[in-house]
């Protein structure tokens, strides 16, 4: 349980949000060209990082907008939030 | 077994005030090299080492545990054991485990308190009824005991359930697997540790793996907090931390690690003599031998390694419990905790080789690994020893995420597994 700073609404309880998992997984431009291995990579394989992770969130019980967050999964601290389409902050790796 | 537990050893030790019991397992320093190393000293890892030593004649084995044995999800689950899964592959896997459970206390000479008190799964809407009836038929075709109970039979089997038709999610019936039940979770880890240690397996606690040394496409050993240890067979059984270990070898797994919570109440006199699970409202409950109600809550929706979980998840579970069991309304909860579970997209485990020679993974058990402990260990040991899966775990390979041949058990698992 933690607070998330929605870029549109401000700080709200995590229970208002739904998690969209790992961010910056790009949908293949040419799906018909993909091999089975590449599909598996896109659909199923995840970094599942213990530490700093870039991820998507949706303010499902608020403004219903999607955005990105940088969160430390070892202590649930949100380090930064940024809008969809924006480049991830450079000071986290 | 060198020091067999029996009524005679009990009498003998009673005469010396129980001060001379032998140590149940050793506490060695790691050797320079092993034939096989198991990473993770939970129930599954210790069982793997036990069956490797017992059935596959490998004696030079180590189990590395970063904390203490059984201190992870083995000590954090709600101890439910059942095998009523929908698909053939799962039925084979989980019923293999259930058959091993039935003789485990004798096998290990250690009382794991396996109790076949039955597990009942409730249906709360028409789709639940259809799904559970279908699962009952599938189970019986696979030789797994399962019966459908109507609402009156549910009430008769577990009288404290509120079967009134005017509750928010009325009980429309349920399935019952009588061979299912519970076991003492710590005893499973301790029993396997004692059995493995007795056959010469080194159980090394407080030893964290920091890196995997590779030479091309094969493994050469492990960097640990107790130095480098050489081996050419590594079996990883690290549950929620499987991806962390996989990343050390440059592998990605189809897993997400999430907190799963459970809680127990103050102990009371016997009130519920079975296990009742309700997937639709997400409530499941049983009673421990100490008298505590053991309640399983759900997973958080996000990746986290915090072993905590959110309050709103517990609140939702308790709301459902109170609607179904009004008699519990004044119970006090004593403890709440979380464990990190590694969830596969198809809610089935991975017991598999990888494309790195000598590196094997047993993971993805998600919210329901405890029940499979003996079977998982047995089949993983087979896979490591022969470098080939046993026919019972062949379907649970990593390659299924490439081939698309998934074992979709969300129907049997839902959230309560």
């Amino acid at each position: 349980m933690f607070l998330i700073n929605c870029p549109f609404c401000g700080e709200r309880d995590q229970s208002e949000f739904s998690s969209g998992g790992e961010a910056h997984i790009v949908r293949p431009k040419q799906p018909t060209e993909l091999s089975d291995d590449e599909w598996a990579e896109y659909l199923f394989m995840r970094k599942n990082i213990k530490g700093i992770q870039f991820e998507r969130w949706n303010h499902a019980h608020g403004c219903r907008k999607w955005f990105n967050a940088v969160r430390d999964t070892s202590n649930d601290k949100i380090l930064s939030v940024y809008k969809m389409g924006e480049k991830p902050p450079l000071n986290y790796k | 077994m060198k020091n067999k537990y029996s009524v005679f050893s009990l009498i003998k030790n009673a005469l010396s005030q129980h001060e001379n019991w032998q140590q149940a397992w050793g506490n060695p320093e790691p050797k320079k090299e092993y034939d096989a190393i198991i990473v993770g000293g939970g129930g599954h890892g210790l069982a793997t080492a036990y069956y490797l030593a017992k059935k596959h004649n490998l004696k030079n084995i180590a189990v590395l545990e970063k904390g203490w044995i059984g201190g992870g999800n083995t000590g954090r689950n709600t101890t439910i054991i059942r095998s009523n899964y929908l698909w053939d592959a799962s039925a084979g896997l989980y019923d293999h485990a259930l058959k091993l459970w039935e003789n485990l206390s004798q096998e290990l000479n250690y009382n794991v308190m396996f109790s076949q008190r039955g597990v009942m799964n409730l249906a709360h809407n028409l789709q639940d009824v259809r799904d559970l009836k279908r699962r009952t038929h599938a189970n019986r075709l696979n030789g797994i005991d399962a019966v459908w109970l109507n609402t009156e039979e549910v009430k008769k089997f577990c009288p404290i359930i509120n079967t009134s038709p005017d509750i928010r999610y009325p009980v429309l019936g349920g399935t019952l697997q009588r061979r299912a039940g519970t076991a003492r979770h710590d005893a499973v880890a301790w029993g396997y540790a004692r059995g493995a240690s007795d056959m010469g397996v080194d159980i090394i606690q407080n030893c964290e793996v920091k890196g995997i040394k590779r030479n091309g496409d094969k493994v050469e050993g492990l960097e640990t907090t107790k130095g480098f240890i050489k081996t050419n067979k590594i079996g990883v059984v690290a549950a929620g931390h499987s991806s962390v270990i996989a990343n050390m070898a440059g592998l990605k797994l189809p897993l997400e690690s999430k907190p799963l919570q459970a809680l127990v109440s103050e102990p009371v006199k016997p009130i519920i003599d079975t296990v009742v699970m309700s997937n639709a409202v997400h409530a499941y409950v049983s009673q421990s031998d100490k008298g505590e109600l053991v309640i399983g809550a759900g997973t958080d929706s996000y990746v986290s390694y915090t072993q905590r979980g959110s309050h709103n998840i517990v609140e939702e579970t308790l709301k459902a419990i109170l609607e179904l069991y009004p008699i519990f309304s004044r119970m006090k909860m004593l403890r709440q905790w979380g464990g990190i579970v590694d969830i596969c997209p198809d809610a089935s485990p991975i017991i598999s080789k990888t494309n790195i020679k000598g590196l094997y993974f047993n993971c993805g058990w998600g919210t329901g690994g405890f029940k499979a402990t003996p079977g998982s260990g047995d089949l993983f040991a087979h896979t490591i020893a022969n470098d080939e899966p046993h026919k019972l775990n062949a379907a649970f390979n990593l390659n299924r995420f490439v081939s698309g041949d998934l074992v979709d058990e969300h129907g049997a698992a839902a959230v309560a597994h």
Side-chain angles (χ1 to χ4, degrees):
Chain A
M1 179 168 266
F2 45 88
L3 296 175
I4 299 178
N5 189 10
C6 170
F8 307 98
C9 310
E11 224 165 50
R12 300 294 177 87
D13 194 288
Q14 172 266 317
S15 61
E16 287 188 16
F17 297 82
S18 64
S19 166
E22 192 179 321
H24 307 299
I25 298 174
V26 182
R27 191 179 163 79
K29 288 223 164 56
Q30 299 280 354
T32 48
E33 313 274 298
L34 251 51
S35 67
D36 289 352
D37 279 317
E38 287 165 329
W39 269 119
E41 180 71 21
Y42 168 69
L43 284 174
F44 299 124
M45 301 303 166
R46 294 293 176 264
K47 289 183 193 152
N48 196 23
I49 287 169
K50 182 181 188 178
I52 290 168
Q53 168 161 293
F54 297 86
E55 53 193 18
R56 300 176 304 173
W57 285 86
N58 179 250
H59 195 181
H61 300 286
C63 63
R64 303 185 63 194
K65 288 196 175 105
W66 284 93
F67 60 94
N68 292 315
V70 187
R71 186 171 55 99
D72 188 336
T73 61
S74 66
N75 57 19
D76 285 346
K77 264 193 196 133
I78 304 238
L79 305 168
S80 176
V81 290
Y82 55 102
K83 290 180 183 168
M84 280 289 159
E86 286 180 3
K87 287 244 158 43
L90 293 170
N91 44 339
Y92 302 108
K93 249 198 194 159
Chain B
M1 187 90 17
K2 276 178 231 146
N3 292 296
K4 203 169 181 310
Y5 294 150
S6 67
V7 66
F8 304 107
S9 71
L10 193 62
I11 293 166
K12 195 180 117 200
N13 282 282
L15 295 174
S16 57
Q17 313 292 325
H18 296 291
E19 283 176 359
N20 298 319
W21 281 103
Q22 70 281 8
Q23 215 180 3
W25 55 87
N27 189 23
E29 284 301 308
K31 292 181 211 158
K32 286 207 163 50
E33 185 175 356
Y34 287 97
D35 295 339
I37 296 181
I38 306 302
V39 179
H44 290 238
L46 293 163
T48 305
Y50 175 86
Y51 291 113
L52 268 177
K54 173 141 197 226
K55 292 170 79 171
H56 303 284
N57 218 16
L58 245 71
K59 294 295 176 219
N60 191 24
I61 306 168
V63 177
L64 306 185
E65 167 55 49
K66 75 171 170 182
W68 63 94
I69 59 164
N73 292 351
T74 302
R76 290 165 186 268
N77 61 78
T78 50
T79 79
I80 297 167
I81 295 161
R82 61 186 179 91
S83 65
N84 52 354
Y85 280 72
L86 177 66
W87 300 110
D88 294 353
S90 317
L93 176 67
Y94 290 101
D95 211 50
H96 176 60
L98 183 49
K99 283 179 187 139
L100 291 172
W101 276 112
E102 285 173 332
N103 195 37
L104 196 61
S105 291
Q106 287 74 19
E107 159 93 26
L108 296 177
N109 178 232
Y110 202 98
N111 187 3
V112 299
M113 297 164 79
F114 181 51
S115 156
Q116 291 177 297
R117 58 184 67 182
V119 169
M120 188 159 67
N121 288 82
L122 299 181
H124 296 277
N125 53 52
L126 195 56
Q127 192 58 45
D128 273 2
V129 172
R130 290 181 184 133
D131 287 346
L132 288 179
K133 280 187 173 169
R134 177 191 178 203
R135 208 169 93 193
T136 308
H137 296 311
N139 289 159
R140 290 162 81 154
L141 287 171
N142 277 317
I144 293 168
D145 70 306
V147 284
W148 170 259
L149 307 179
N150 63 29
T151 308
E152 290 71 40
E153 289 164 328
V154 166
K155 182 79 180 170
K156 201 170 165 221
F157 188 68
C158 184
I160 61 169
I161 294 181
N162 180 7
T163 52
S164 159
D166 59 6
I167 64 174
R168 176 65 184 83
Y169 297 102
V171 177
L172 302 182
T175 64
L176 174 63
Q177 185 181 19
R178 289 183 192 277
R179 284 163 64 233
T182 59
R184 170 85 201 279
H185 49 3
D186 299 318
V188 180
W190 298 336
Y192 274 120
R194 175 170 169 262
S197 183
D198 197 63
M199 289 183 287
V201 172
D202 282 356
I203 296 166
I204 301 157
Q205 303 183 66
N206 299 309
C207 180
E208 187 177 351
V209 169
K210 291 291 190 187
I212 294 176
K213 193 176 174 204
R214 275 174 65 175
N215 181 5
D217 66 344
K218 62 176 203 268
V219 296
E220 286 197 324
L222 288 164
E223 297 289 352
T224 76
T225 48
K226 295 196 175 190
F228 179 74
I229 310 173
K230 206 173 155 196
T231 186
N232 52 22
K233 274 181 190 281
I234 301 170
V236 183
V237 204
H241 283 70
S242 298
S243 298
V244 176
I245 307 275
N247 290 342
M248 292 174 189
L251 267 183
K252 260 209 256 179
L253 295 173
L255 296 175
E256 286 195 311
S257 297
K258 297 175 175 178
L260 174 68
Q261 292 178 80
L263 54 163
V264 294
S265 72
E266 60 191 335
V268 290
K269 288 188 175 173
I271 181 71
I272 177 165
D273 62 357
T274 184
V275 182
V276 185
M277 309 180 69
S278 175
N279 288 358
V281 297
H282 200 272
Y284 58 103
V285 63
S286 61
Q287 190 172 17
S288 74
D289 291 359
K290 278 191 285 184
E292 303 153 322
L293 296 180
V294 182
I295 295 170
T299 51
D300 282 300
S301 63
Y302 49 87
V303 169
S304 177
Y305 289 82
T306 55
Q307 292 189 325
R308 282 200 298 262
S310 306
H311 293 301
N312 56 312
I313 303 276
V314 172
E315 197 180 352
E316 279 156 29
T317 292
L318 289 178
K319 273 187 209 161
I321 293 274
L322 290 188
E323 175 115 321
L324 277 174
Y325 310 91
I327 192 175
F328 294 153
S329 66
R330 278 178 287 172
M331 292 285 284
K332 292 185 177 74
M333 292 298 144
L334 276 192
R335 298 190 304 279
Q336 166 275 349
W337 64 91
I340 303 304
V341 297
D342 44 329
I343 300 173
C344 263
D346 60 354
S348 285
I350 297 165
I351 311 171
S352 179
K353 295 161 69 166
T354 64
N355 53 19
I356 300 168
K357 200 168 157 35
L359 185 63
Y360 306 85
F361 270 86
N362 182 354
C363 59
W365 290 94
T367 55
F370 177 72
K371 65 173 80 70
T373 306
S376 156
D378 183 32
L379 299 172
F380 195 41
H382 181 101
T383 307
I384 293 172
N386 299 297
D387 197 38
E388 276 303 321
H390 187 278
K391 68 177 188 327
L392 287 175
N393 68 307
F396 299 95
N397 59 53
L398 251 175
N399 195 51
R400 74 179 189 266
F401 298 96
V402 176
S403 70
D405 193 9
L406 303 178
V407 189
D408 183 6
E409 279 295 350
H410 283 288
V415 271
H417 207 330

